Amino acid sequence: MSDTILRTADGKPLKAALQRASAVARRRAFWLVLPLLAFVVITFVVPIGQMLSRSVTNDAFSANMPQLVAWFEANPEGTEPDEAAFAALAADLTNAAAERTIGSVATRINYDVSGTRSLFTSAGRKAKKLEAPFKESVVAMDPKWGEPIVWAAMRNASAKLTTSFYQAAMDRKLSAKGVFEKAPGDLQVYLKLFGRTLALSAVVTFLCLLLGYPVAHLLASLPMSKSSLLMILVLLPFWTSLLVRTTSWMVLLQEQGILNNTLVGLGIISDENRFALMYNQAGTIIAMTHILLPFMILPLYSVMKTIPVSYTRAARSLGATSWTTFRRIYVPQTVPGIGAGGILVFILAVGYYITPALVGGATGTLISNQIAFHMQDSLNWSLAAALAAMLLGAVLALYWVYDRLVGIDNMKLG
Amino acid sequence: MAGSNTSDAFVVFDRVQKSYDGETLVVKDLNLSMPKGEFLTMLGPSGSGKTTCLMMLAGFETATHGEILLDGRPINNIPPHKRGIGMVFQNYALFPHMTIAENLSFPLEVRGMDKSVREEKIKRALDMVQMGQFGNRRPAQLSGGQQQRVALARALVFEPELVLMDEPLGALDKQLREHMQFEITRLAHDLGITVVYVTHDQTEALTMSDRVAVFNDGVIQQLAPPAELYEAPKNSFVAQFIGENNTLEGVVTEISNDKCVVKLDDGELIDARPVNVTKVGERTRVSIRPERVEMNKARLQPGAHTLKATVCEFIYMGDIFRTRLSVAGNDDFIIKTRNAPDAVRLQPGTEIEIGWLPQDCRALDA
């Protein structure tokens, strides 16, 4: 009889004994993290999850138009709306007008087919007076009710779960046939904005690396007393309010601003050829690069500090010029810092909001400004949620690619 | 052996001074010349200027004053990568992102050598340090001793005539260190390279070198072959720093060419060989090596000087016994006796008589 289970001296299984022995410590540790866990769940996970769920659910139509929803369920797609359908529509409109929900119904359909809001609200006012045959009387009220696209939009909205917000976020519009198609070129907004957001973030990340690398190297190689002074210069803007820094850039960059006035004063440019450095992409890039620079410098610095000077000395003594030493010995060893700083700056830049809103103008705004617009002005929260979810997806995808290429465990944040 | 005339010297330090802050000199007026093929060790406590000298030779520090010559050429203005000097660092400095073979290939690549030539040289260098089968490993996968061998191979692979080593064995355990001491000396002699070796370990310096330069306070205190350094230290710093040493303080009362009489602080008169004292009345430290002190009366040679001593402590060290005595007011007087079958283990408090020959007793500066 061989017993393969290891046992303690008094014969209990070793694993169970170990569990019991460490249970107390684990429980105590759990109580320590519980406040933070609760905080994160309540203020972060739940609201964000709720918000993201809005991107695929919207019951403004389905909850308030029950009879029409039932008709859509009974009749498959492609069925011409018959008398029964119009009767259901008239009954639902009357009902919604009485319960004052007609507004949200109208808004929901208006998301998919613009210009239909007034169709619903005015019909709501007149619905009580409608009489059979409903098909004729409804269309007589407004010939738009006979248009296939309106019926396609109502069928689409009759399901609580919907992809229409993701379709809209990808610049696809509902057609009369009831399917989503690519919107005409001049109506394409979001994909272009996503493209611009990623491109601008890449430019900002690259500029941060270009400007931050020498500074981080200087910080890491100077003697302690001088490097801590320099570190304060790096951190000082970091501690200053984002809004203050952005508005300072506005003071500097505007057409009658300090930079342009100086250049004109020095005679480098003429008065009528002042540079347009603000309310465009240039402004966004300049201000964001400055604001995100510390996020690049700090991880780079923490990596560079750990590289002993003997590596570069060894390379020099082995016959390498200073450039070869930098390229083949120093840079490869700073890759974890470049990766960490790059991904940090890029992810922050992709979601940047205040700076592009203030200095971006028309060409320098990013996708986050459009999300804010839908949250605050158009109140199309479902579309805002869909855009935000796509942004999140893009960042996670990027993170995954980075992990495959460089390896997350190779990253060093400080 | 040490040809100190500058004409056939391979490495020359000529009146070299170095200051980092413009206020204190780290290296003060250094003059040194080495012939080709010599193994010279710079030995000294930390902060004595030895590493600075090495870094000036390698080109990582510039001399504040004076000239360093390599094979007759002044090299003060030659950048490190053009000096062609191999260097082994204290922490090995193997490039962590390259394999062992790539590490060795690096100095050959920057010299523009063909792949076939490189592979041949890498193989030869790795075989030389018995690391032939490790070419594809990364430095982190090797033990300290193996990394040390690779660092050595990398410093030698491009066949430099001069190799500098900055405390290369400092991080190894005792056994491995002794083995590597032997290997490095063997390689240096087989390849006929000139080596400047920096260490603070005197055993290493004594066992490996042709000559040792003892540094203290930015000055070479003595430059001599190991035996001379140990047996005939020129001043009390060298006597104290190299090996174990007993000192008795006193005043010179009589002095002739090769003999002087010192009156110790407790009034005892002893004979000594004057080394660093010149006149009567001068204070002196008399130095006697522990193994030259005899406590067995039967073995005392004629002409030996004897003194009374009290045993303070007996320390058993296996192969030898160390006995701490109180002699002429000095409570730190150590004698060493071999653990022979007839050796006596002295009890603390025992009064004994010890003796030594006057020529083993050197009167140095105070």
Side-chain angles (χ1 to χ4, degrees):
Chain A
M1 281 285 285
S2 70
D3 194 355
T4 49
I5 304 172
L6 284 173
R7 287 174 186 282
T8 58
D10 56 353
K12 289 176 188 144
L14 194 59
K15 273 195 177 156
L18 182 67
Q19 286 257 321
R20 237 188 338 275
S22 52
V24 179
R26 266 208 307 272
R27 230 177 349 244
R28 202 175 299 153
F30 178 74
W31 284 112
L32 279 176
V33 296
L34 188 66
L36 177 67
L37 190 69
F39 179 79
V40 166
V41 167
I42 293 167
T43 64
F44 202 72
V45 178
V46 171
I48 287 183
Q50 208 248 341
M51 195 65 213
L52 288 181
S53 74
R54 275 174 191 269
S55 66
V56 287
T57 59
N58 191 316
D59 61 355
F61 188 89
S62 56
N64 297 318
M65 305 284 272
Q67 298 187 35
L68 197 56
V69 169
W71 185 84
F72 281 127
E73 272 166 13
N75 295 279
E77 213 174 321
T79 318
E80 279 283 309
D82 52 13
E83 177 60 22
F86 280 96
L89 172 65
D92 279 341
L93 284 174
T94 317
N95 215 3
E99 285 171 16
R100 301 180 180 281
T101 54
I102 190 75
S104 39
V105 171
T107 308
R108 172 68 188 89
I109 299 302
N110 196 51
Y111 287 156
D112 286 343
V113 182
S114 51
T116 53
R117 201 185 144 77
S118 61
L119 181 68
F120 277 82
T121 46
S122 69
R125 281 193 297 276
K126 298 171 193 160
K128 268 186 290 189
K129 295 168 196 151
L130 289 173
E131 280 166 17
F134 287 105
K135 190 167 179 177
E136 281 75 23
S137 58
V138 170
V139 174
M141 183 172 64
D142 191 326
K144 266 195 186 166
W145 284 113
E147 285 178 16
I149 188 150
V150 174
W151 285 88
M154 288 197 292
R155 178 181 282 280
N156 180 48
S158 68
K160 191 182 166 196
L161 273 176
T162 175
T163 62
S164 40
F165 299 105
Y166 280 100
Q167 302 278 8
M170 283 188 287
D171 288 329
R172 294 167 74 84
K173 284 222 172 320
L174 192 66
S175 75
K177 284 184 234 117
V179 290
F180 284 93
E181 284 169 356
K182 210 165 175 202
D186 56 330
L187 289 177
Q188 290 190 9
V189 187
Y190 303 116
L191 286 185
K192 224 160 65 185
L193 212 51
F194 268 117
R196 182 201 287 166
T197 304
L198 296 180
L200 276 190
S201 303
V203 169
V204 167
T205 309
F206 178 73
L207 286 176
C208 280
L209 180 63
L210 208 65
L211 296 173
Y213 201 93
V215 177
H217 178 67
L218 197 64
L219 271 173
S221 51
L222 277 180
M224 205 54 191
S225 56
K226 281 178 192 155
S227 82
S228 49
L229 187 74
L230 191 62
M231 187 57 117
I232 287 177
L233 292 181
V234 170
L235 287 176
L236 208 58
F238 195 51
W239 294 328
T240 314
S241 151
L242 179 67
L243 212 54
V244 170
R245 280 184 286 165
T246 306
T247 37
S248 322
W249 276 113
M250 294 170 77
V251 173
L252 285 168
L253 295 178
Q254 57 188 277
E255 260 183 49
Q256 300 299 324
I258 293 170
L259 189 68
N260 269 316
N261 281 349
T262 312
L263 289 176
V264 171
L266 290 172
I268 294 169
I269 53 171
S270 64
D271 201 18
E272 52 274 12
N273 290 326
R274 285 169 179 261
F275 290 125
L277 291 171
M278 229 177 60
Y279 305 123
N280 55 19
Q281 290 188 8
T284 306
I285 290 173
I286 292 171
M288 276 175 69
T289 301
H290 170 244
I291 287 161
L292 293 175
L293 204 49
F295 293 99
M296 181 64 91
I297 293 177
L298 294 176
L300 274 177
Y301 165 69
S302 79
V303 168
M304 287 174 176
K305 234 176 108 77
T306 63
I307 301 174
V309 66
S310 61
Y311 286 126
T312 45
R313 285 187 165 176
R316 296 301 305 275
S317 82
L318 291 171
T321 59
S322 45
W323 168 242
T324 310
T325 304
F326 175 75
R327 193 170 51 84
R328 293 202 43 198
I329 304 301
Y330 195 72
V331 173
Q333 293 190 66
T334 60
V335 163
I338 297 177
I343 206 158
L344 197 61
V345 168
F346 188 84
I347 288 177
L348 284 170
V350 157
Y352 235 60
Y353 163 64
I354 296 179
T355 306
L358 288 177
V359 298
T363 58
T365 51
L366 304 180
I367 193 73
S368 50
N369 301 106
Q370 203 54 235
I371 294 174
F373 169 76
H374 285 303
M375 288 296 293
Q376 294 162 354
D377 295 332
S378 82
L379 299 182
N380 189 353
W381 286 13
S382 289
L383 181 57
L387 288 169
M390 283 170 67
L391 190 63
L392 185 64
V395 168
L396 289 179
L398 216 99
Y399 194 75
W400 180 79
V401 169
Y402 176 87
D403 186 30
R404 297 305 298 270
L405 290 181
V406 188
I408 280 310
D409 42 342
N410 244 336
M411 181 160 93
K412 222 175 148 193
L413 279 175
Chain B
M1 185 77 23
S4 46
N5 55 330
T6 339
S7 57
D8 67 336
F10 187 55
V11 177
V12 176
F13 282 83
D14 183 22
R15 312 213 60 181
V16 171
Q17 292 183 313
K18 173 72 186 176
S19 172
Y20 286 105
D21 53 5
E23 284 164 16
T24 49
L25 281 172
V26 184
V27 175
K28 299 170 187 158
D29 196 26
L30 181 80
N31 292 291
L32 176 71
S33 80
M34 283 175 72
K36 216 171 195 156
E38 188 180 40
F39 195 120
L40 182 131
T41 298
M42 294 178 170
L43 174 70
S46 50
S48 59
K50 58 190 194 306
T51 300
T52 306
C53 284
L54 197 73
M55 290 301 162
M56 286 193 286
L57 188 51
F60 302 125
E61 300 288 353
T62 46
T64 314
H65 174 82
E67 199 88 71
I68 302 172
L69 301 149
L70 178 63
D71 209 6
R73 279 182 310 154
I75 55 170
N76 282 14
N77 293 319
I78 299 179
H81 68 277
K82 287 189 181 153
R83 295 192 180 189
I85 298 175
M87 187 151 179
V88 181
F89 291 83
Q90 192 170 10
N91 58 1
Y92 319 132
L94 296 176
F95 307 134
H97 58 291
M98 295 181 179
T99 63
I100 300 311
E102 285 166 347
N103 261 284
L104 263 74
S105 176
F106 185 78
L108 308 177
E109 277 170 47
V110 298
R111 284 177 172 74
M113 289 187 191
D114 287 335
K115 195 159 187 262
S116 53
V117 181
R118 289 205 307 259
E119 278 169 359
E120 167 67 32
K121 279 178 189 275
I122 293 168
K123 191 179 169 316
R124 207 175 337 135
L126 282 179
D127 286 343
M128 188 171 71
V129 293
Q130 290 106 50
M131 291 291 293
Q133 68 275 45
F134 293 95
N136 291 322
R137 303 269 189 97
R138 300 232 169 220
Q141 294 168 303
L142 302 184
S143 70
Q146 289 171 328
Q147 290 188 36
Q148 175 54 56
R149 287 163 185 273
V150 174
L152 194 61
R154 189 179 65 177
L156 297 173
V157 70
F158 60 97
E159 291 160 18
E161 290 187 301
L162 174 63
V163 175
L164 313 181
M165 302 192 189
D166 185 11
E167 309 210 13
L169 306 179
L172 302 182
D173 60 58
K174 187 169 175 283
Q175 217 165 0
L176 203 53
R177 196 160 61 220
E178 280 166 7
H179 182 70
M180 286 305 293
Q181 284 171 9
F182 167 74
E183 292 248 323
I184 290 175
T185 357
R186 183 184 59 82
L187 272 175
H189 283 159
D190 286 357
L191 299 172
I193 46 175
T194 313
V195 178
V196 180
Y197 191 100
V198 163
T199 183
H200 62 259
D201 179 343
Q202 37 138 329
T203 322
E204 219 166 275
L206 293 179
T207 52
M208 298 175 79
S209 332
D210 295 329
R211 278 194 303 166
V212 180
V214 181
F215 274 71
N216 188 41
D217 204 16
V219 175
I220 295 183
Q221 304 288 333
Q222 188 169 359
L223 173 60
E228 192 184 325
L229 206 62
Y230 185 80
E231 280 158 34
K234 266 191 188 158
N235 58 37
S236 26
F237 175 81
V238 177
Q240 283 291 357
F241 196 73
I242 306 285
E244 213 164 357
N245 182 48
N246 290 311
T247 51
L248 297 171
E249 295 196 29
V251 180
V252 180
T253 54
E254 258 176 61
I255 189 159
S256 67
N257 270 344
D258 59 348
K259 213 175 161 193
C260 68
V261 178
V262 176
K263 186 180 182 204
L264 298 182
D265 289 350
D266 70 338
E268 190 98 33
L269 291 171
I270 58 169
D271 291 339
R273 178 198 291 263
V275 176
N276 220 359
V277 287
T278 46
K279 56 182 185 290
V280 172
E282 201 174 338
R283 273 203 76 79
T284 179
R285 280 184 183 174
V286 180
S287 146
I288 312 130
R289 295 288 183 195
E291 67 276 10
R292 296 293 169 97
V293 180
E294 186 54 70
M295 51 169 238
N296 187 341
K297 263 190 179 165
R299 281 205 217 128
L300 271 181
Q301 292 185 13
H305 194 97
T306 57
L307 273 178
K308 287 213 183 313
T310 315
V311 178
C312 296
E313 199 181 358
F314 175 82
I315 305 159
Y316 177 82
M317 293 182 75
D319 54 345
I320 56 159
F321 300 151
R322 277 182 93 207
T323 314
R324 189 161 65 83
L325 306 173
S326 175
V327 177
N330 179 358
D331 284 341
D332 253 336
F333 199 96
I334 304 290
I335 60 173
K336 286 183 185 170
T337 36
R338 201 162 58 85
N339 187 356
D342 61 337
V344 192
R345 302 187 184 193
L346 293 164
Q347 292 302 313
T350 319
E351 301 261 333
I352 55 166
E353 201 161 21
I354 55 168
W356 59 76
L357 293 171
Q359 58 264 40
D360 290 332
C361 181
R362 300 166 64 82
L364 304 169
D365 54 311

